[in-house]
Amino acid sequence: MKKLDAQTEHSSMTVTPDARSAPQSLRAALLWLLLASQLPLVLVASAFLWMEWGQQRTTVMDALRQRTQTLALAVGQELDVNLAIVETLAALPALESRNWAEFHAAAAAAIKPRAPSWITLQDPSGQQLINTNVPYGAALPRKVIEPPEVEWHGRLLPTSDPRMVDLAYAQRPLVSALVYGPVLKRPVLGTAIPVLGDGKRSYRLIVGFTPDTLIALLARERSADATTTAIIDGNGRLIARNRDGARFLGMRASPPFDRGAALGPEGMGDMISREGEPLVYAYRRIQPSDWTIVVAVPRHRVFAPVYRTFVPWLATTLLMAGVGLWLAHRLQRRLALPLIALAGSADALRRGEVPQIPGTRIRELDTLSRALQRAVRQEQAARDELTHRLASEEQAKVAAQTAAQTLSESEERFRALNANLELLVAERTARLEEKSRQLEQAAIALRVNEARLQGILENSPAVIYVQDPEGRYVHLNRQFAETYGLPRDELIGKTVFDFLPAHLALQIQQEDARILADGVPLQLERSFPIPGKGLRDFLLTRFAMRGDDGTIYGLGGIATDITELRHAEHELEAALTFLRAILESANYAIIATDTHGIIRTFNPAAEALLGYGAAEVIGKATPELFHGPGELAERAAILQREYGEPVGTGFDALIAVARRQGVEEGEYDLLRKDGRQVPVLVSITALRDAQGCITGYLGIVADISARRQADAAIAQLNRTLARRAAELEAVNRELESFSYSVSHDLRAPLRSIDGFSQVLLEDYAEQLDDEGRDSLRRVRAASQRMAQLIDDLLTLSRLSRTEIRRETVDLSAIARSIAGELRALEPQREVEFVIEEGVTAHGDARLLRAVLENLLGNAWKYTSRHARARIEFGSELRNDGRRVYYVRDDGAGFDMAYAGKLFGAFQRLHTAAEFPGTGVGLSIVQRIVHRHGGEVWAAAAPEAGAMFRFVLGEHSDTP
C-alpha cells in the first residue's frame, strides 16, 4: 500500500506545476508582462544610439587609419634612404679590399647631407672599425662587455639589440630597436646590413641616428591639438611622440603596444594613455622595420555627438513608460481577483477535497472550472486501476526469484565438473607435448650433425675417400667422382687397380699395407693420370681409421690437387726474371732499400744519373751518399712541426711521409759522385708484405733539370700576366664603383615613384577614373621593371669580379630544388620534370646554381602557354670526352635566324606582352660559363621547344 500511495502521489503531482521551481504570483506575472510590453521601446531607443555611436566611431577610425598609413610611408621612406646608403657603401671595392681610409671618406660624404646621422663599420665581435663621427685614424672606443641595461633619466634602456649578433646569419637588413649609445650617452637607433669581407669574414655596416629625427618628422605633420602620434619599437618602447616626445622617450608604451613585435600588421582599438586618458587608436607596422606607428584621439571626441542626441530620446522614453505603467495597473486589478479564487480551488483539488468553484463574469474562467471537475473523477478511476496492477506484479516477481535460484545452483555444479575435466586434460596434454618436444630435438640434432659432416665432405675441394682393409672404396665425396668423371655408385667397391697403371697401383697397395700394419699416417706428393686432364700433381695424406675400441677397420685418404700451385711457382720465377729485365732497361733511376736505408737495388739508370756503380753503393746507407746534411735537417724540422713528434735527420726524414701514407713524391737536389748537384723528382713507396708490414722502400728518380729551366720561364711569364691582371682589376674597380653609384642614384627616385603611386591607388582610387587608375598601375609596373633591370645589371657586373671557388657540385640535386620552387610558384600547372640522377660538375656551386635557375626558369616561362609541358635536365659525352650539360623543353621555342641575339644583354626574341623578362638572364648564363672556361649554345624551332647546351672548362666536369 505504501507503493500505491507513492504512485498515487506521483500521479497527482503531474497536474501541478514543477515542484523544483518556486511558484510565481499572478501579480508578478502581470508585472513581467508590463515590462515586456515596454521592451520594444527600449530596444528601439538603444538601437538608434548604437548606430549613432558606430557611425561616429567609423568616421574617426577611417581618419586615424589614413593618417597612420601616411605616417608609416613617410617613416618607411626615411629608413629606405638609410638602407640605400649602406647598400651602396657595402658594394664599394674599398670595403672588399679593406682600404679603410678610402671607405671612411666615401661614407662621410654619403652621410653628410643627413647630419646628425653617422655611419659605423663593426667586425663580428662588435668592435668599431670605422666611425664617421670622428676623423679617420682617431682612436675608436674598444669593445667592452656592457651591462644588459643602463639607467637613463629614470628608465632602463638596453645597451644592444640581440639581433645584431645574428645579423651575419640572417643575410638581410635590420632596423634596430631603441638602445643606449655609450658614445653619445643617450638613446640611439640604427639601420644595418651584413657585409661579407674576403668571402668569409662578416661585418656590420650601420647608419646611426637619434630619435630627434623621428620626433621632428612627427612634429612636421599637422594634426588637431588633441591627437597623439607615436612610434614604438619592437621591444615596446617609445621612440618618438608628437606631444612631450623628450619626456616620454624610452618609456614602455601603454598596453597593448608594450608587446612590440607581437602585434599584427595593422589594427584599431581602445587604450589608456600614459597620462591616464581614455583613447581610441589606430596603428600600422612600418616596413622594413618592426616599428609601429600609432595615432590616437580622446574617446570623448567620439561620443560627444552621441551625448547630444541621447538626452531628448531619454526624456521621451521615460514619459511613454509612465503612461504604460498606469494603464497596466488598471488591467491587473480586473484580472487578478477571479484568478486568485480559481487558484484556491485547484489547491483544494490537490489535497483530495471537492472544491467549490466560484462564479465569474469571465467566460474562459467558467470553462476552466468545469475542466477541474472532470479531472477529479478521472483521478479516482486511475487510483483504483493502479492498485490492482501492483498486486499482480508482486506475485510474478516472487515466482521469478524462486526459478532463478534453482537455475543458479545447477550452473555452479556444472562449472565445478567442467573445471576438473579441463585440469586433467591439460596435465595429460602437457606430458605428451614435453615427450614429443624432446624426441623432436634429438632428431633435429642428429640430422644437423649428419648434414654438417656431409656438407664438409661434399663441398671440400680435396678428394676424400674411405677404403676397407681389402682396399675397396666404401665411401667417397663428390670431388672424387668429378675428378674421375664417373657416377659415385660405379666407384663404390672398386680398388686402385681399376683406375691406375699396375705398377703405380701396386706401389700404393704396399704403402697402404704398412699404414694398416703400424697405424702411422703417410704424406707425400705424387702425380696421377686423370682421364681427360692428363697428369696431375697431388698432395696425398693417408691414415688408418679406428673404431671406439681402437681397432683399425679401414683406411682414409685426402688428396689435394696442387697442379696449379706448381704452375704458379713457375710463373712467379718467370715474373722475377721479367722484373729484373725492367730494372736493367728502365730510363728512370730505381733504388730499393731495406727499412734502415741500406741500398739493396741500384739499376743502370741510377748509375748513369749519379755516377756510382752498383757495386759501390749496394750495402751502404742512402743519405750519406746522395744528400747534404743541411737538406735533410731542414726537412726533418718541417716534418716535426707537422706531425708533432721527433723526426730523425737521416733516412727517417726521407721516408717519414711514405711510412705513414704509403707513398710520397718530392723534389730534391742529389749529389753525384763528381760533386755536382742534380735536380730530381723522387717518388718513394713503402713496400709491404702480405700482413701489411713494411719490408723496405722503393725510390724512382727522374732528372728534372729541363723542367726547372721551363719553370723559370713560366714564372717570368706569370709575373708579366700578374702585372696586366692588376691593371685590369683597377679598371674593373672603377667600373664597379661607377655602376653602384648610378644604381643608387636611380633606385631612390624609383622607390619614391612606386611608393607614392601605391598610396594614390590605395587612398584615392575612388576619386580617379579607370584611365587614371590604369595609368598609375602602368607607372608602378614601369618603375618595378626599371628596378629589376638595375638589379640584373648589378648581378651581371658582379660576375666579372666574383672569385670562383671550385668544388664538386651535385647539379641533379640543384635542378630538383629549383623544380620544386617553380612548382610551388604555380602549383596549378601540369609540368613534368625529367632530371637525370648523379649529374655532377667541378665549379662554383653558387654560380652554377644561377646558370640552372636561369635556364630552368626560362623553360618554365616559355612553356606557360601549353596545357601540359615537359622540361628535361641531363648530360652526355662528346666525342672528345668532354661532358655536355643540357636543358630541354617543349615550349614556344624561337627562330634560329635570330640565335645571334640570344646571349646579348637586353636582347629578347619575344615581346614583354608574350613573356615577361628583362633579357639579362642568358647573358648571366654565358658570363658564368665563360668564367668556368666553357661555352654555351642553343637549338630551337618555333613552337617545337628549345634546347640549351653548355660545357665547362677542363677539370670542371665529372662523370
Side-chain angles (χ1 to χ4, degrees):
M1 288 303 295
K2 290 181 179 180
K3 293 182 180 179
L4 178 61
D5 292 341
Q7 183 69 22
T8 304
E9 181 66 20
H10 176 72
S11 176
S12 65
M13 289 294 287
T14 58
V15 298
T16 64
D18 189 355
R20 293 174 296 177
S21 60
Q24 189 179 37
S25 68
L26 180 61
R27 293 179 185 275
L30 292 174
L31 179 59
W32 281 109
L33 179 62
L34 168 64
L35 295 178
S37 67
Q38 300 299 315
L39 182 61
L41 179 63
V42 176
L43 290 177
V44 170
S46 300
F48 176 79
L49 294 175
W50 177 260
M51 288 188 295
E52 183 71 18
W53 178 84
Q55 182 177 3
Q56 180 65 18
R57 179 181 175 89
T58 301
T59 303
V60 173
M61 285 303 182
D62 288 343
L64 291 179
R65 185 169 61 250
Q66 184 174 359
R67 181 78 183 282
T68 57
Q69 185 175 355
T70 303
L71 288 175
L73 181 61
V75 176
Q77 293 228 336
E78 186 76 15
L79 296 177
D80 284 344
V81 173
N82 288 344
L83 283 176
I85 291 174
V86 293
E87 286 175 354
T88 302
L89 292 175
L92 291 179
L95 179 58
E96 184 172 352
S97 62
R98 303 181 67 181
N99 188 344
W100 301 135
E102 180 182 344
F103 182 77
H104 184 279
I111 203 63
K112 183 177 180 180
R114 301 186 60 78
S117 300
W118 66 93
I119 291 177
T120 61
L121 179 67
Q122 299 178 358
D123 65 13
S125 68
Q127 174 61 45
Q128 293 187 13
L129 304 176
I130 296 293
N131 191 321
T132 59
N133 275 336
V134 298
Y136 178 72
L140 295 174
R142 304 302 298 174
K143 175 64 178 178
V144 297
I145 299 177
E146 298 284 352
E149 294 182 325
V150 172
E151 184 177 356
W152 180 77
H153 291 185
R155 64 211 67 170
L156 292 177
L157 295 178
T159 58
S160 64
D161 191 332
R163 297 175 299 165
M164 283 290 186
V165 178
D166 301 327
L167 182 61
Y169 304 103
Q171 293 298 315
R172 60 182 180 84
L174 169 68
V175 178
S176 74
L178 187 70
V179 299
Y180 177 77
V183 176
L184 298 180
K185 306 298 184 183
R186 62 164 299 170
V188 296
L189 300 161
T191 304
I193 64 170
V195 181
L196 291 179
D198 302 330
K200 297 179 181 178
R201 191 174 183 185
S202 177
Y203 301 96
R204 296 195 289 265
L205 188 57
I206 305 171
V207 174
F209 56 96
T210 64
D212 298 339
T213 305
L214 301 176
I215 294 174
L217 177 64
L218 296 182
R220 290 197 298 270
E221 296 291 331
R222 295 189 300 274
S223 62
D225 294 337
T227 303
T228 300
T229 307
I231 301 176
I232 302 167
D233 68 7
N235 294 328
R237 288 186 172 85
L238 284 165
I239 299 175
R241 199 172 188 261
N242 66 335
R243 298 167 59 191
D244 296 333
R247 181 161 68 93
F248 291 102
L249 179 62
M251 287 188 178
R252 283 285 180 183
S254 301
F257 299 105
D258 54 350
R259 294 178 294 164
L263 294 171
E266 61 179 355
M268 299 177 292
D270 300 298
M271 63 178 290
I272 303 298
S273 70
R274 300 290 301 186
E275 296 90 342
E277 182 181 13
L279 301 175
V280 177
Y281 68 85
Y283 74 88
R284 187 183 183 94
R285 298 292 294 276
I286 301 174
Q287 298 300 329
S289 68
D290 60 356
W291 298 353
T292 304
I293 184 78
V294 184
V295 180
V297 296
R299 189 183 301 170
H300 65 78
R301 288 187 57 192
V302 182
F303 289 101
V306 181
Y307 294 151
R308 290 192 294 270
T309 308
F310 177 72
V311 174
W313 271 83
L314 180 62
T316 303
T317 303
L318 291 176
L319 178 61
M320 295 177 67
V323 174
L325 288 173
W326 181 80
L327 292 174
H329 177 70
R330 299 289 300 172
L331 292 173
Q332 179 257 351
R333 289 183 58 81
R334 182 179 177 88
L335 294 174
L337 294 176
L339 287 174
I340 291 172
L342 186 60
S345 300
D347 186 58
L349 177 61
R350 183 181 63 81
R351 295 193 302 270
E353 302 172 358
V354 178
Q356 295 294 327
I357 306 301
T360 67
R361 292 181 296 172
I362 300 174
R363 184 172 59 254
E364 287 78 2
L365 295 179
D366 287 339
T367 301
L368 181 60
S369 298
R370 289 192 295 274
L372 288 174
Q373 291 290 348
R374 287 195 299 272
V376 169
R377 290 192 295 273
Q378 292 173 358
E379 176 79 12
Q380 187 63 42
R383 288 183 179 182
D384 294 341
E385 182 180 357
L386 183 61
T387 301
H388 176 71
R389 186 182 301 166
L390 289 176
S392 301
E393 290 178 356
E394 188 69 26
Q395 294 175 358
K397 183 176 180 181
V398 171
Q401 289 177 349
T402 303
Q405 183 176 3
T406 303
L407 180 61
S408 176
E409 292 175 354
S410 300
E411 288 179 353
E412 286 295 331
R413 289 194 297 273
F414 177 74
R415 280 196 293 269
L417 292 174
N418 188 46
N420 291 332
L421 180 59
E422 289 179 352
L423 182 60
L424 292 174
V425 171
E427 291 177 354
R428 179 73 173 178
T429 302
R431 287 196 297 269
L432 292 175
E433 288 179 350
E434 179 63 22
K435 290 181 180 180
S436 176
R437 186 181 61 81
Q438 292 175 356
L439 291 174
E440 185 177 356
Q441 288 178 349
I444 291 173
L446 181 59
R447 288 195 299 270
V448 167
N449 289 333
E450 290 178 351
R452 185 181 296 116
L453 179 58
Q454 187 66 25
I456 293 172
L457 293 175
E458 291 300 312
N459 294 293
S460 174
V463 173
I464 302 175
Y465 60 89
V466 177
Q467 295 173 301
D468 62 12
E470 286 74 28
R472 292 185 296 268
Y473 292 104
V474 295
H475 182 79
L476 45 86
N477 68 346
R478 178 175 52 84
Q479 185 63 30
F480 191 111
E482 290 179 355
T483 299
Y484 283 95
L486 295 174
R488 195 177 312 190
D489 295 340
E490 295 183 11
L491 296 173
I492 298 296
K494 294 188 177 182
T495 66
V496 294
F497 289 95
D498 297 318
F499 306 106
L500 301 177
H503 69 283
L504 185 57
L506 182 60
Q507 184 179 359
I508 292 175
Q509 185 183 44
Q510 293 172 353
E511 293 171 351
D512 291 345
R514 288 197 300 269
I515 295 171
L516 292 173
D518 53 25
V520 178
L522 177 64
Q523 185 176 28
L524 50 81
E525 292 185 13
R526 179 167 288 161
S527 297
F528 294 99
I530 302 299
K533 298 180 181 179
L535 198 63
R536 306 288 293 180
D537 297 328
F538 286 88
L539 176 62
L540 185 62
T541 301
R542 289 176 288 170
F543 49 88
M545 304 286 290
R546 298 180 183 272
D548 294 338
D549 56 357
T551 304
I552 296 175
Y553 65 85
L555 185 138
I558 302 174
T560 304
D561 191 340
I562 59 172
T563 306
E564 282 73 16
L565 178 61
R566 291 291 177 259
H567 290 169
E569 290 175 351
H570 297 320
E571 291 174 358
L572 178 60
E573 182 63 30
L576 291 175
T577 302
F578 180 70
L579 289 176
R580 282 193 292 270
I582 291 175
L583 289 174
E584 296 296 327
S585 59
N587 291 327
Y588 291 99
I590 300 175
I591 303 172
T593 71
D594 61 11
T595 56
H596 303 291
I598 304 303
I599 298 174
R600 299 302 182 194
T601 301
F602 198 81
N603 72 339
E607 294 177 346
L609 177 64
L610 300 174
Y612 290 95
E616 295 180 81
V617 298
I618 291 178
K620 295 182 180 180
T622 302
E624 288 77 1
L625 290 174
F626 311 127
H627 297 275
E631 180 183 28
L632 295 182
E634 180 180 356
R635 176 176 172 81
I638 294 173
L639 293 176
Q640 185 168 335
R641 288 194 300 272
E642 181 178 350
Y643 293 134
E645 60 184 40
V647 177
T649 58
F651 183 67
D652 192 32
L654 284 176
I655 53 85
V657 176
R659 185 174 65 245
R660 291 171 173 80
Q661 301 178 5
V663 65
E664 182 205 10
E665 189 173 278
E667 295 184 6
Y668 295 90
D669 291 327
L670 298 186
L671 293 175
R672 287 175 48 86
K673 183 178 181 180
D674 57 11
R676 289 188 298 111
Q677 287 190 333
V678 181
V680 296
L681 177 66
V682 180
S683 175
I684 301 175
T685 303
L687 304 176
R688 300 179 183 272
D689 59 15
Q691 287 72 38
C693 299
I694 296 177
T695 59
Y697 296 91
L698 176 67
I700 299 177
V701 184
D703 188 349
I704 59 172
S705 301
R707 198 189 76 181
R708 286 280 181 90
Q709 296 173 359
D711 288 344
I714 292 173
Q716 178 61 34
L717 179 60
N718 285 338
R719 286 191 292 271
T720 303
L721 292 176
R723 235 181 4 258
R724 294 296 304 277
E727 296 171 359
L728 290 175
E729 186 176 358
V731 173
N732 283 335
R733 281 200 299 268
E734 294 176 1
L735 290 175
E736 288 284 332
S737 178
F738 173 75
S739 66
Y740 278 108
S741 299
V742 171
S743 70
H744 171 258
D745 293 341
L746 291 176
R747 273 179 172 168
L750 285 175
R751 195 178 289 114
S752 298
I753 291 171
D754 185 47
F756 284 108
S757 298
Q758 182 181 4
V759 171
L760 289 174
L761 282 173
E762 292 180 354
D763 297 342
Y764 300 98
E766 297 179 356
Q767 302 176 22
L768 298 174
D769 57 10
D770 293 341
E771 184 177 356
R773 288 191 291 270
D774 182 65
S775 297
L776 282 177
R777 283 191 287 269
R778 290 174 179 269
V779 169
R780 289 199 66 205
S783 63
Q784 291 169 2
R785 283 198 302 272
M786 186 64 184
Q788 183 62 45
L789 284 173
I790 293 173
D791 291 338
D792 290 344
L793 279 174
L794 290 177
T795 300
L796 194 60
S797 66
R798 287 193 190 102
L799 293 178
S800 62
R801 67 184 184 91
T802 302
E803 179 185 357
I804 293 182
R805 295 179 174 86
R806 294 186 182 272
E807 58 180 316
T808 300
V809 182
D810 188 346
L811 296 182
S812 297
I814 293 177
R816 285 193 298 272
S817 173
I818 296 171
E821 296 171 1
L822 293 173
R823 284 198 178 100
L825 290 175
E826 297 180 78
Q828 75 279 2
R829 288 189 56 186
E830 295 186 19
V831 179
E832 177 188 6
F833 279 94
V834 180
I835 298 173
E836 180 182 341
E837 293 293 333
V839 179
T840 60
H842 192 70
D844 189 296
R846 180 171 51 86
L847 295 180
L848 293 180
R849 182 179 180 88
V851 170
L852 292 183
E853 283 178 344
N854 280 285
L855 294 180
L856 291 173
N858 280 351
W860 180 270
K861 176 169 61 177
Y862 290 111
T863 57
S864 61
R865 300 288 180 89
H866 293 186
R868 290 183 175 84
R870 177 184 175 94
I871 299 174
E872 301 179 31
F873 168 72
S875 66
E876 55 194 16
L877 285 177
R878 291 199 312 197
N879 294 333
D880 60 0
R882 299 183 67 184
R883 186 165 294 276
V884 180
Y885 307 94
Y886 63 85
V887 173
R888 180 191 294 125
D889 65 73
D890 57 358
F894 57 85
D895 190 343
M896 287 298 292
Y898 303 101
K901 299 171 59 179
L902 273 179
F903 300 101
F906 310 112
Q907 299 293 322
R908 306 194 72 234
L909 304 185
H910 299 273
T911 65
E914 292 178 310
F915 300 100
T918 60
V920 180
L922 289 179
S923 297
I924 292 174
V925 170
Q926 186 184 56
R927 183 73 59 86
I928 293 173
V929 172
H930 285 177
R931 292 209 62 199
H932 281 77
E935 57 180 333
V936 58
W937 66 96
E943 292 305 323
M947 183 173 185
F948 285 83
R949 294 183 175 91
F950 64 92
V951 296
L952 303 177
E954 294 184 4
H955 311 298
S956 294
D957 54 307
T958 59

